[in-house]
Amino acid sequence: MAQVMIEPDGIETEVPDRSPLVRALGQAGVAVETPCGGFGICGKCKVRFVDGKTPQPTDEELRHLTNSDLVDGWRLACRHRLEGDAVIFVPEVSRLTIAQILTTAVERQTKLQPAVRRFVAQVEAPSVSDERSDAQRLLKALQTQHGVDLSPSAIPLSVLRSLPAVLRQSNFCITVILHQAVSGQPLLLSVEQATSDTPPRTQHPAPSTPLLGIAFDIGTTTLVGYLLDLETGEELSHAARLNPQVQFGDDVVSRLCFVMQQQGGLRQLQQAVVRGLNEIVAECCQEANVEPKSIYETVAVGNTAMLHLFLGVNPEPIALAPYVSVFNEPVTVEAWRLGLRLHPNAMLTTLPCVAGYIGADTVAVALTHLWEPEGETVVALDIGTNGEVVVRHQGQYLCASAAAGPAFEGGRIYQGMRAEKGAIAKVELESDGDVRWLRVGTIGGAMPKGLCGSGLIDAVAALLKIGILDGSGRLTDEAADWQKQFINLNGQKAFRLVNPEASELSEGIVLTQRDIRELQLAKGSIRAVTEALLKTVGLDWSGVERVYVAGAFGMFVNLQSAQRIGLLPSLTPERFQAVGNAAGAGAKLALRSVTERKHAFELSQRMKHIPMTGNPRYEGALMEFISFPSRPYP
Ligand code: FES
């Protein structure tokens, strides 16, 4: 065994010798960022060996770390195993932190028709002349009093075990909780002592317990849960977390690689997401002052790979051409099978997916805002770690995904970070006469320590306006008054947005030429997918009545900056609507109503996935939109 001391926390832990360092730190409660999935590509998992045997630098470390860093004991945590006792310093920038997570959304109202319902049943008491079993008498009461035909096999063993005591303690007047999925037989989830508002024949009224459900939006980066009262439809609380799978890679592809390359990788990822969801359940329940055992149903949405990982289904086919999923259909399963800590018989339902890269989250966005086929012509963009686009036009639904990469969430950007305290979220070009300067705004008003997606887009838009970034994306230092802001960073040109003394970082906040290329790829890919879909239905932007922008991106990005870099078209602002976490809103609709689940299924059947690989419309548009528009907007 090896003793590890983690600084500056002072945490001591003991792990088996030769444990992977990232895992050892995680076990001690110090999770390290591993955006590239621990493959030595991103250089963001830096730690310092303060004491103990410092390992020889690897090729990746020679690339990512300076000579003086290496001499000082800095290494990439993902590249090493522990060799004996060690003292490891983990800097703030290498730690996994909670980001600001978008939980609000523009919602759609629906009639309350939950799958889980509660009935009071007056069961006939047995007698010497009535020797039917307790179960038979319960089924008869449900049929005659509520018209519910339940087969004996729909009674779980746990309910059979509790039935005799509950019947007799309640003087045979009991509460029955049933789950009726969109199709198929109802299931009996629970029998309980009747509540205080049941008929007066109840001898032992118990306190009223709520009938709850929880809707999950399982994002690649974030998890959100919404706790609902299924008898009123009211949202009681919500909670959010970073998806703990982030420590295995920051995008879908890194996680798929992890599953394919690591033995037991699928299990680790499944357990990680369930751990995060259970934390959300606990937090929601604490806030609403209720018990997790009052949650009888959960509806989950997420992209196709995330749902595979959540259900423990190997998603390998999604990673390999022709990129098909193992399942697209909705899945209904007992929640305990996945490790969720809810009522022991609670059920889980996932919304349907469309294709390997068009998941239930996109269906949920469509369910919330595009569910009427004959509505106006609309483009819906969901820009997160992945970008998905849906076009609705005269009853047709076309959809596609963009391999945008995580640039909009700060991933693969030299000083990129998620939208959390200290992230530059806003960059504005200010002027006073001939003097011009850049003003930056950070989340929480803290000293700048990196750039998040909206800050990155603002910064690039500002450099275009100044004229020190050309249409091809090349930084040019021709403008004399900005020359002192240019630096050479490890052989590449970079523009310093914030000087070192005004930032948390010794080199200040910089935007590198490579960062600009990453942004070009991301925005070019999303815009090109949108253009290709519009062309497929014979439209241009003049025929688009509304553009819905879902996700945190839509809420926080500056529209003019997104238009200036060419990510969004130059339509008037009234035609854009930021709709927040529309995927989460769709999950809530489906939890509140089984009719909405039917709508979701119908939508998934109507949505036609247009592959972009080898698509000439996409490739032509990508060539055009990878550049920045020469004409500023407006
Ligand atoms: Fe270690 Fe990316 S280099 S996680």
Side-chain angles (χ1 to χ4, degrees):
M1 297 295 276
Q3 301 282 340
V4 190
M5 156 88 88
I6 301 167
E7 289 191 342
D9 316 71
I11 299 171
E12 281 186 71
T13 188
E14 197 177 64
V15 292
D17 217 8
R18 296 206 37 80
S19 291
L21 182 51
V22 169
R23 194 179 305 160
L25 295 171
Q27 274 170 15
V30 180
V32 171
E33 287 267 20
T34 53
C36 68
F39 289 102
I41 298 166
C42 68
K44 297 220 168 177
C45 58
K46 282 197 264 183
V47 299
R48 188 158 73 88
F49 282 75
V50 178
D51 205 357
K53 187 174 164 209
T54 306
Q56 284 300 313
T58 62
D59 288 350
E60 294 87 357
E61 285 163 334
L62 294 174
R63 264 201 309 278
H64 285 291
L65 302 172
T66 63
N67 273 343
S68 75
D69 281 346
L70 293 169
V71 171
D72 284 348
W74 289 97
R75 296 289 184 272
L76 299 176
C78 70
R79 299 288 84 203
H80 297 288
R81 291 172 181 269
L82 278 167
E83 305 272 4
D85 298 350
V87 179
I88 309 286
F89 174 77
V90 183
E92 201 59 40
V93 289
S94 300
R95 292 176 185 231
L96 198 58
T97 50
I98 304 285
Q100 273 193 339
I101 298 170
L102 180 72
T103 54
T104 55
V106 175
E107 302 218 8
R108 178 164 72 72
Q109 299 303 313
T110 191
K111 187 168 165 242
L112 191 62
Q113 288 176 292
V116 174
R117 287 172 299 152
R118 170 156 48 193
F119 300 92
V120 173
Q122 181 67 59
V123 179
E124 284 181 35
S127 66
V128 283
S129 59
D130 179 2
E131 290 185 345
R132 288 173 301 160
S133 68
D134 285 353
Q136 284 169 330
R137 280 176 287 112
L138 171 61
L139 297 183
K140 185 72 182 168
L142 284 171
Q143 188 191 49
T144 53
Q145 291 163 34
H146 300 288
V148 174
D149 273 320
L150 205 62
S151 104
S153 62
I155 306 180
L157 181 59
S158 61
V159 173
L160 281 181
R161 284 176 175 158
S162 61
L163 183 62
V166 171
L167 279 173
R168 285 159 184 84
Q169 282 162 11
S170 306
N171 200 20
F172 292 87
C173 181
I174 61 170
T175 298
V176 176
I177 294 172
L178 289 178
H179 179 274
Q180 171 77 71
V182 174
S183 58
Q185 287 286 313
L187 288 173
L188 205 163
L189 301 186
S190 180
V191 289
E192 297 169 8
Q193 289 194 34
T195 57
S196 50
D197 48 8
T198 48
R201 292 179 63 175
T202 307
Q203 297 288 303
H204 304 283
S208 181
T209 54
L211 189 71
L212 306 177
I214 192 160
F216 289 128
D217 172 21
I218 303 176
T220 310
T221 307
T222 56
L223 305 175
V224 186
Y226 302 90
L227 184 66
L228 306 188
D229 184 320
L230 296 179
E231 288 176 317
T232 64
E234 187 194 350
E235 182 178 324
L236 304 178
S237 58
H238 61 256
R241 289 274 183 291
L242 268 184
N243 185 338
Q245 292 178 342
V246 163
Q247 60 184 296
F248 302 99
D250 69 353
D251 61 9
V252 167
V253 174
S254 327
R255 297 210 198 138
L256 296 179
C257 288
F258 186 81
V259 169
M260 291 191 287
Q261 292 172 9
Q262 297 284 327
Q263 208 183 4
L266 175 61
R267 197 157 153 262
Q268 282 186 61
L269 288 173
Q270 200 270 339
Q271 288 176 344
V273 69
V274 169
R275 187 171 69 244
L277 294 175
N278 278 329
E279 285 172 13
I280 284 176
V281 168
E283 189 179 328
C284 282
C285 287
Q286 192 176 29
E287 196 185 320
N289 197 20
V290 294
E291 296 281 336
K293 66 176 192 287
S294 298
I295 301 175
Y296 293 91
E297 204 197 16
T298 174
V299 168
V301 302
N303 66 48
T304 313
M306 287 303 111
L307 289 187
H308 279 59
L309 295 173
F310 174 45
L311 297 181
V313 176
N314 191 330
E316 204 171 314
I318 300 175
L320 307 169
Y323 314 111
V324 298
S325 41
V326 178
F327 66 92
N328 285 333
E329 294 65 32
V331 172
T332 297
V333 65
E334 296 97 329
W336 66 264
R337 288 188 187 279
L338 304 176
L340 288 171
R341 291 199 286 270
L342 311 173
H343 183 278
N345 291 328
M347 300 300 291
L348 162 91
T349 294
T350 59
L351 288 197
C353 302
V354 176
Y357 284 91
I358 296 287
D361 50 353
T362 308
V363 172
V365 172
L367 176 67
T368 311
H369 295 289
L370 315 180
W371 71 287
E372 292 167 306
E374 300 305 330
E376 56 188 2
T377 295
V378 166
V379 170
L381 300 164
D382 191 359
I383 302 175
T385 315
N386 304 301
E388 289 93 21
V389 185
V390 183
V391 172
R392 178 185 64 189
H393 177 58
Q394 296 177 345
Q396 294 182 75
Y397 289 81
L398 299 190
C399 55
S401 64
F408 294 124
E409 293 186 338
R412 314 232 172 104
I413 300 300
Y414 180 63
Q415 289 175 346
M417 60 186 289
R418 297 192 188 92
E420 57 201 23
K421 198 170 171 197
I424 295 178
K426 208 175 199 181
V427 180
E428 288 170 314
L429 179 61
E430 303 272 344
S431 63
D432 183 4
D434 284 347
V435 184
R436 294 187 295 173
W437 70 96
L438 292 177
R439 181 197 298 279
V440 302
T442 59
I443 294 175
M447 285 273 272
K449 59 179 185 182
L451 273 167
C452 66
S454 62
L456 175 68
I457 291 170
D458 270 2
V460 170
L463 300 195
L464 285 165
K465 275 186 218 160
I466 294 168
I468 51 179
L469 183 62
D470 67 21
S472 73
R474 192 173 58 93
L475 278 170
T476 68
D477 48 9
E478 280 155 22
D481 47 342
W482 296 94
Q483 263 178 13
K484 60 181 186 314
Q485 304 289 109
F486 281 90
I487 59 169
N488 184 312
L489 192 81
N490 305 328
Q492 66 166 324
K493 194 178 262 190
F495 182 84
R496 187 172 263 153
L497 290 165
V498 181
N499 290 328
E501 59 279 9
S503 84
E504 288 252 341
L505 305 180
S506 57
E507 57 201 353
I509 305 297
V510 297
L511 188 64
T512 69
Q513 182 66 68
R514 206 170 294 137
D515 295 341
I516 293 166
R517 298 289 180 222
E518 282 289 338
L519 180 67
Q520 283 180 276
L521 284 174
K523 73 101 186 174
S525 166
I526 288 175
R527 183 68 188 267
V529 165
T530 315
E531 297 290 329
L533 290 185
L534 287 176
K535 281 208 179 87
T536 307
V537 284
L539 276 180
D540 62 23
W541 286 102
S542 64
V544 176
E545 290 158 273
R546 193 168 297 280
V547 181
Y548 290 114
V549 188
F553 180 88
M555 299 302 272
F556 302 121
V557 79
N558 177 304
L559 175 61
Q560 286 197 359
S561 296
Q563 290 176 320
R564 182 65 191 84
I565 68 165
L567 170 61
L568 296 178
S570 297
L571 306 175
T572 53
E574 313 81 69
R575 285 160 78 183
F576 290 93
Q577 188 179 357
V579 292
N581 184 7
K588 282 191 266 184
L589 281 171
L591 182 59
R592 287 187 175 113
S593 161
V594 287
T595 301
E596 297 290 354
R597 292 181 206 185
K598 280 189 205 151
H599 289 325
F601 185 71
E602 285 156 14
L603 275 171
S604 72
Q605 300 293 299
R606 271 179 177 265
M607 288 167 72
K608 184 166 182 221
H609 176 235
I610 307 293
M612 292 292 141
T613 312
N615 183 324
R617 288 192 176 110
Y618 170 74
E619 282 166 5
L622 187 62
M623 293 292 283
E624 182 182 347
F625 287 99
I626 213 154
S627 302
F628 294 115
S630 53
R631 200 158 41 85
Y633 177 85

